[in-house]
Amino acid sequence: MKVVVVESPAKAKTINKYLGSDYEVLASFGHIRDLPAKDGSVDPEQDFHMLWELEDRGAKRVAEIAKAVKGADTLILATDPDREGEAISWHVLEALQAKKVLKDVAVERVTFNAITKDAVATAMAQPRAIDQALVDAYLARRALDYLVGFNLSPVLWRKLPGARSAGRVQSVALRLVCDREREIETFKPREYWSIVATLKTASGAVFEARLVGADGKRIQRLDVGTAEEAEAFRRDLELATFTVASVEAKPAKRHPQPPFTTSTLQQEASRKIGLAPAQTMRVAQRLYEGVEIGGETVGLITYMRTDGVDMAPEAVAQAREVIGAEYGDAYVPGAPRKYSVKAKNAQEAHEAVRPTDLSRLPKEVARFLDPEQARLYELIWTRTVASQMESAELERTTVEIVAQVGPRRIELRATGQVVKFDGFLTLYQEGKDDEEDEESRRLPPMRKDDALTRERIAATQHFTEPPPRYSEASLVKRMEELGIGRPSTYAAVLQVLRDREYVKIDKKRLVPEDKGRIVTGFLESFFRRYVEYDFTADLETQLDRVSNAEIDWRAVLRDFWRDFSAAIAGTKELRTTEVLEALNGLLAEHIFPAKADGSNPRACPNCGGGQLSLKLGKFGAFVGCSNYPECKYTRQLNATGLDGDGEGSGEGGQPGVRVLGDDPETGLPVTLRDGRFGPFVQLGEASPEKGAEKPKRSSLPRGLSPSAVDLEKALKLLSLPREVARHPETGEPILANIGRYGPYVQHGKTYANLGKDDDVLEVGANRAIDLIVQKEQGGGRPVQDPGRLIGTAPDSGKPVTVKAGRYGAYVTDGEINATLPKGADAEAVTLDEALRLIAARREAGGGTKKKTARKAPAKTAAGKTAAGKTKAAAKGEAEVSGDEAAEAKPKPAARKTPAKSAAAKPAAKKAPAKKPAAKSVAGE
């Protein structure tokens, strides 16, 4: 018997079908060990000794594998063919050796780039040992992320209340977004004018020509800078005679792009089918692991974590066959195309992302896939096939035109492009993020010395525009160009920035939140080296050299830790006033935008004598007056967060409060506030007098972003409860309101929760009556959201639905409930993803509808629960930074029981604390 270990149950199921009864395929469910949540898990004083701990779920997996191995002659480690896969195999081997179950058992490591029968069979015939260099590279990255997160995050907690974390790659990615925002804020628009002549040939064809020169001088795009200059050119051209000076037609070619790498796949999926990078990787993982087609489970694409663009010779040959069959021999180039990577630090260890069998046309496999999978497979298939197609042949025509007005000679130019042979363009054209993508125009036939007549002359004013904000696709592209991070980590790094509320998505663009800008400003001021692009890229180069067995991984850590630990130590004496002044200067354009009248933007508008400065409070950062407490002026950080006059909240204002305006009926101020249980709107101010009536408040309904709340919406929320309808039998009102557990409708003592698609401000009479009647007919039981049916479980036949729960969306088969991961789109979840979550929840022994008593987590010595901040820090930013944990395979959403700390044990048995570091980690 041979035992095969892979990462995921889906992968195990597929491979199990390819191997005979002599094999048993088990899944590790990703990593089985992690660095424990405590100081010393990576010990620089012991030459970076790393303390690994089996997780609860991992211990169960290891026990199953150990049991199977006891009766086997060979253990085959078949995890993914990259650094993370190598590390998972190493962890499994180390854990089994610790259990001493490998005596007389041969250990082999195999890898395959695609999960197909042939690929698996070939891999099994070519076993090797674990690649220690790849493991060392993993250890170095994991240790770096731990050291940065575990040591830098507590500094943020102490110096910047409200800041959540910092990570090695996460912080640099955030700086890119913030730097772009700073460019936009400091950008000074420049006026310029374009002069365009609409001309007509003798045959009556009309076309446009642009001003390019006058009086023997070239005129560039920004050279005509005033209305007077533009009007002078327009006036002369109105009087000029136009003649064709030359016509030049040149052949040109456009070549196809290479097949996808991880990053280009994420970019194109974002542009063309609207998938976020994290979604793209989830869907690609499913296509790689295998889907059921015609009674057989097959992997549809090759491994999707790669920076290589080469393809196997057999795949190239198959692509050429498909091109000939589907598009004709004219689209097949004379020789196969070869590509090389231009990205910095590219390893090219694997093939490009491609279909495992190009003869599986997208239209033929679509019926076996859910919509997201079908669209992503089609994108990968078209890019792969197009990469081996003939180039497009173009003809670019340039017509130079002379406008003569008296002695003055003005030059114009018209350009056009004609596609002579579409080549690969018949199938695929790469998307663009920010560049202008004007359609090529076709020019009418013209010859030298032809006379042209004027139709009209247009002089148009323009202003230069700031660089656009990054989209997720363009940020991934920029990170890859700079050599920051690895392609396999980009998706999770972006997700972490959103989860930490450092950035938000607005119109598909990344906008830094105030919290993110302050964190970046702090790091730039006091840890600048560690958020520099070149430093981060150079560190990636060193880590790549480790994976190539060129340098020792501990040497890299020693060099890093020597300077980094000194930088951390240098912040111990750092005063809050120093931090605030540094941020005041660095973020001046953002915090203190220039005033139209040119007056001092930092002068307090309330008392006149004080100076505005950044302040730190329990809700985070805000702007306040230096004359506090005599002057209590405060406002939000940026101009967009100010009240109507742009001057803030004035006397009595509070941090965490945004003034939306005044109620037209009462004249009281309407504010949006940060509360303990989330944002809410409030009418008026609370009175300090004892027994005074509290101001009216309303929570924001789930799904409503605070940034989307204006005065009109706030007044509607404050008007709740509102009468929606009258009960058909009693004639009593049915009211809509928001309660502790979300929006609901009410009739007397009967309450019915609104569904996730219902808007408490818009729900109509028919819907409200239906909910109340159903509730009354249900014998007093609450009417539950029936959810969205996404399919049927193949093994049990039970319907699988996605529902909105009190603690977020979840999937269920009627027996097991599994919460969706944070940030997951409930509308986009697929049957396969739901089944994986349910299976993982079942394995973890939770998620059933039977109620069990909850055990309160024990408190640590630092006064925090073990599930709280200390644990997040001690993960070394595996979750905080999102850097290297990002490329670990998806784990089940099992909840871990918080470990008891020393503080929870009897006093007599309490071990003395080794270091006081745990307190600083907890943020005290």
Side-chain angles (χ1 to χ4, degrees):
M1 174 65 71
K2 296 183 178 181
V3 175
V4 181
V5 178
V6 297
E7 295 98 332
S8 72
K11 190 174 176 183
K13 181 180 177 182
T14 303
I15 294 173
N16 223 359
K17 294 184 178 182
Y18 298 151
L19 302 175
S21 57
D22 292 339
Y23 293 83
E24 182 177 0
V25 186
L26 301 174
S28 71
F29 286 81
H31 277 285
I32 58 167
R33 303 196 301 182
D34 202 355
L35 296 170
K38 63 182 180 181
D39 188 20
S41 292
V42 178
D43 191 348
E45 296 180 5
Q46 298 297 321
D47 205 15
F48 303 97
H49 172 73
M50 302 175 75
L51 181 64
W52 299 101
E53 183 179 78
L54 274 174
E55 299 179 337
D56 293 343
R57 178 186 48 79
K60 187 175 182 180
R61 299 279 80 78
V62 171
E64 291 177 357
I65 297 169
K67 182 178 179 181
V69 166
K70 285 181 180 178
D73 55 68
T74 305
L75 170 65
I76 301 174
L77 302 169
T79 49
D80 283 341
D82 59 4
R83 183 185 63 249
E84 204 70 21
E86 207 75 18
I88 292 172
S89 287
W90 176 79
H91 277 301
V92 170
L93 181 59
E94 290 272 304
L96 293 176
Q97 287 174 338
K99 283 183 169 288
K100 300 180 179 179
V101 296
L102 294 179
K103 186 179 180 181
D104 301 325
V105 177
V107 178
E108 298 175 351
R109 170 81 170 112
V110 302
T111 59
F112 30 81
N113 194 45
I115 303 179
T116 63
K117 194 168 187 177
D118 290 342
V120 171
T122 301
M124 293 297 174
Q126 299 173 346
R128 61 168 173 83
I130 285 180
D131 189 330
Q132 190 59 43
L134 286 180
V135 174
D136 288 348
Y138 159 80
L139 294 174
R141 289 173 186 274
R142 191 68 187 85
L144 283 170
D145 289 338
Y146 174 94
L147 291 171
V148 171
F150 197 83
N151 290 279
L152 187 51
S153 293
V155 174
L156 289 179
W157 299 337
R158 289 194 300 270
K159 306 300 180 184
L160 294 176
R164 295 184 61 183
S165 70
R168 185 174 62 86
V169 176
Q170 164 204 322
S171 298
V172 183
L174 178 60
R175 184 191 167 191
L176 277 169
V177 177
C178 293
D179 280 357
R180 177 58 57 88
E181 196 70 17
R182 196 177 302 155
E183 287 181 66
I184 294 170
E185 289 173 348
T186 58
F187 180 81
K188 305 297 182 188
R190 178 178 170 184
E191 180 185 10
Y192 70 99
W193 291 72
S194 63
I195 315 296
V196 178
T198 303
L199 306 173
K200 185 164 65 174
T201 66
S203 63
V206 176
F207 66 98
E208 289 183 350
R210 292 181 175 270
L211 175 70
V212 295
D215 308 317
K217 295 180 180 179
R218 305 294 299 167
I219 294 179
Q220 305 293 333
R221 176 170 167 262
L222 303 178
D223 286 350
V224 181
T226 65
E228 292 76 14
E229 292 177 276
E231 178 59 25
F233 277 117
R234 192 195 65 78
R235 188 171 55 247
D236 285 350
L237 289 173
E238 290 282 4
L239 303 172
T241 57
F242 298 86
T243 307
V244 175
S246 67
V247 179
E248 184 178 29
K250 288 184 178 180
K253 282 192 174 185
R254 281 187 62 186
H255 306 297
Q257 296 292 322
F260 283 132
T261 62
T262 301
S263 64
T264 55
L265 174 62
Q266 291 173 6
Q267 292 169 45
E268 280 292 82
S270 176
R271 297 181 191 117
K272 290 188 179 293
I273 57 180
L275 293 182
Q279 286 178 289
T280 298
M281 296 309 289
R282 282 198 299 270
V283 178
Q285 180 89 27
R286 190 67 191 93
L287 294 175
Y288 165 70
E289 291 179 343
V291 297
E292 192 87 13
I293 295 182
E296 180 185 5
T297 303
V298 293
L300 290 181
I301 64 170
T302 55
Y303 192 54
M304 64 284 163
R305 293 182 178 90
T306 176
D307 53 15
V309 291
D310 200 12
M311 291 201 304
E314 58 269 23
V316 173
Q318 190 180 42
R320 291 167 63 84
E321 289 176 9
V322 169
I323 294 166
E326 294 293 320
Y327 302 98
D329 293 339
Y331 289 85
V332 183
R337 294 187 179 277
K338 292 285 290 181
Y339 295 96
S340 60
V341 175
K342 297 178 182 178
K344 189 175 182 180
N345 291 340
Q347 297 299 293
E348 300 188 76
H350 311 300
E351 280 191 79
V353 185
R354 63 167 178 85
T356 55
D357 184 352
L358 286 160
S359 66
R360 291 194 184 100
L361 304 183
K363 60 185 178 183
E364 295 173 356
V365 301
R367 68 180 184 274
F368 302 107
L369 307 174
D370 66 38
E372 275 187 353
Q373 292 173 347
R375 286 186 294 160
L376 190 63
Y377 178 78
E378 182 177 18
L379 183 65
I380 294 169
W381 187 92
T382 54
R383 173 82 167 221
T384 304
V385 172
S387 73
Q388 288 298 322
M389 292 180 78
E390 187 59 89
S391 300
E393 296 178 5
L394 314 171
E395 184 179 80
R396 292 188 178 132
T397 304
T398 303
V399 179
E400 302 288 352
I401 299 163
V402 172
Q404 198 73 39
V405 51
R408 192 176 194 193
R409 179 186 172 96
I410 301 175
E411 299 165 8
L412 300 98
R413 179 179 297 148
T415 57
Q417 183 173 282
V418 177
V419 177
K420 295 292 188 180
F421 173 66
D422 56 5
F424 75 95
L425 294 176
T426 193
L427 177 63
Y428 181 85
Q429 187 163 348
E430 187 177 47
K432 296 182 179 180
D433 291 304
D434 305 318
E435 302 90 343
E436 292 182 4
D437 192 18
E438 295 181 353
E439 242 181 83
S440 298
R441 288 171 293 203
R442 189 164 187 163
L443 294 176
M446 284 178 277
R447 292 179 298 181
K448 184 180 178 181
D449 298 328
D450 279 0
L452 304 170
T453 56
R454 169 183 47 79
E455 287 283 293
R456 60 184 174 274
I457 307 296
T460 307
Q461 183 186 39
H462 307 275
F463 290 92
T464 53
E465 294 183 354
R469 291 186 174 113
Y470 285 109
S471 64
E472 288 188 301
S474 60
L475 182 60
V476 165
K477 183 178 181 181
R478 185 59 180 148
M479 290 173 70
E480 186 178 36
E481 289 172 347
L482 293 171
I484 295 170
R486 303 302 304 156
S488 53
T489 68
Y490 293 156
V493 167
L494 294 180
Q495 189 64 49
V496 167
L497 293 181
R498 294 172 67 177
D499 291 346
R500 297 289 182 263
E501 297 177 346
Y502 287 163
V503 302
K504 64 180 179 181
I505 301 288
D506 182 32
K507 298 177 182 177
K508 298 187 177 181
R509 297 284 170 167
L510 294 167
V511 182
E513 298 274 25
D514 287 335
K515 188 187 301 183
R517 298 199 65 167
I518 288 176
V519 168
T520 297
F522 177 82
L523 295 177
E524 284 190 79
S525 298
F526 303 103
F527 293 90
R528 185 171 185 82
R529 183 185 182 196
Y530 302 98
V531 289
E532 285 180 346
Y533 306 140
D534 289 345
F535 174 81
T536 307
D538 289 343
L539 189 56
E540 288 295 339
T541 301
Q542 293 183 55
L543 294 172
D544 288 336
R545 291 184 63 199
V546 172
S547 65
N548 294 333
E550 296 175 10
I551 55 175
D552 178 61
W553 67 279
R554 285 188 172 88
V556 174
L557 292 178
R558 289 185 205 112
D559 289 343
F560 176 85
W561 181 249
R562 181 182 61 250
D563 296 332
F564 183 70
S565 59
I568 293 290
T571 63
K572 289 183 178 178
E573 304 301 322
L574 191 62
R575 296 184 177 183
T576 302
T577 53
E578 294 178 73
V579 173
L580 295 178
E581 279 310 305
L583 294 175
N584 283 335
L586 194 64
L587 302 176
E589 289 84 2
H590 177 63
I591 305 175
F592 313 111
K595 293 189 175 182
D597 60 5
S599 60
N600 180 12
R602 292 190 64 174
C604 178
N606 194 46
C607 68
Q611 179 163 293
L612 298 182
S613 175
L614 192 65
K615 306 287 185 182
L616 298 175
K618 65 177 181 178
F619 292 113
F622 64 98
V623 174
C625 180
S626 59
N627 285 339
Y628 180 85
E630 288 77 14
C631 178
K632 297 179 180 178
Y633 174 87
T634 63
R635 67 163 170 81
Q636 301 282 311
L637 258 64
N638 56 34
T640 58
L642 307 183
D643 54 15
D645 60 3
E647 292 298 335
S649 60
E651 184 70 30
Q654 302 174 36
V657 176
R658 175 156 65 96
V659 179
L660 301 174
D662 293 331
D663 178 15
E665 292 186 10
T666 65
L668 294 173
V670 179
T671 53
L672 175 65
R673 298 169 179 248
D674 294 324
R676 182 182 175 188
F677 302 107
F680 64 93
V681 290
Q682 177 174 304
L683 178 65
E685 294 290 342
S687 172
E689 296 181 12
K690 211 170 186 180
E693 186 179 350
K694 291 183 178 180
K696 187 164 188 179
R697 295 172 176 172
S698 175
S699 300
L700 267 58
R702 186 168 52 241
L704 178 60
S705 169
S707 61
V709 178
D710 54 16
L711 178 61
E712 180 183 3
K713 187 148 288 187
L715 290 172
K716 286 184 178 180
L717 289 170
L718 291 167
S719 70
L720 295 175
R722 70 183 183 92
E723 183 176 321
V724 180
R726 291 275 172 173
H727 195 280
E729 295 179 1
T730 67
E732 294 297 316
I734 296 176
L735 306 177
N737 204 353
I738 300 175
R740 181 180 178 185
Y741 302 119
Y744 64 90
V745 287
Q746 171 195 0
H747 169 242
K749 294 184 178 181
T750 301
Y751 296 81
N753 292 332
L754 293 178
K756 62 182 177 65
D757 295 325
D758 295 317
D759 185 342
V760 68
L761 300 177
E762 304 293 339
V763 66
N766 292 339
R767 172 65 172 158
I769 291 171
D770 286 345
L771 288 169
I772 290 296
V773 171
Q774 288 178 39
K775 180 68 176 293
E776 290 172 339
Q777 292 177 349
R781 296 181 61 191
V783 178
Q784 296 183 348
D785 175 15
R788 176 172 68 89
L789 180 66
I790 55 178
T792 304
D795 52 350
S796 64
K798 295 178 180 177
V800 178
T801 54
V802 58
K803 295 185 176 184
R806 185 184 302 176
Y807 304 108
Y810 65 97
V811 290
T812 179
D813 63 357
E815 179 184 346
I816 297 292
N817 298 341
T819 305
L820 293 183
K822 185 176 180 181
D825 185 356
E827 293 298 322
V829 68
T830 65
L831 176 62
D832 290 330
E833 291 168 344
L835 291 174
R836 282 205 304 273
L837 289 169
I838 291 170
R841 192 73 175 127
R842 183 178 283 113
E843 286 284 343
T848 59
K849 294 186 174 181
K850 182 179 178 181
K851 291 184 178 179
T852 56
R854 290 189 178 182
K855 187 176 180 181
K859 288 188 175 181
T860 64
K864 303 289 180 182
T865 63
K869 228 174 199 180
T870 303
K871 181 176 178 180
K875 288 289 185 181
E877 289 306 287
E879 57 182 14
V880 173
S881 78
D883 296 348
E884 288 312 311
E887 76 179 73
K889 313 307 175 281
K891 295 184 180 181
R895 293 183 181 177
K896 292 178 66 177
T897 302
K900 290 185 177 181
S901 68
K905 297 179 181 179
K909 295 183 179 180
K910 184 175 180 181
K914 291 183 179 179
K915 297 181 182 180
K919 287 192 175 183
S920 65
V921 170
E924 293 185 304

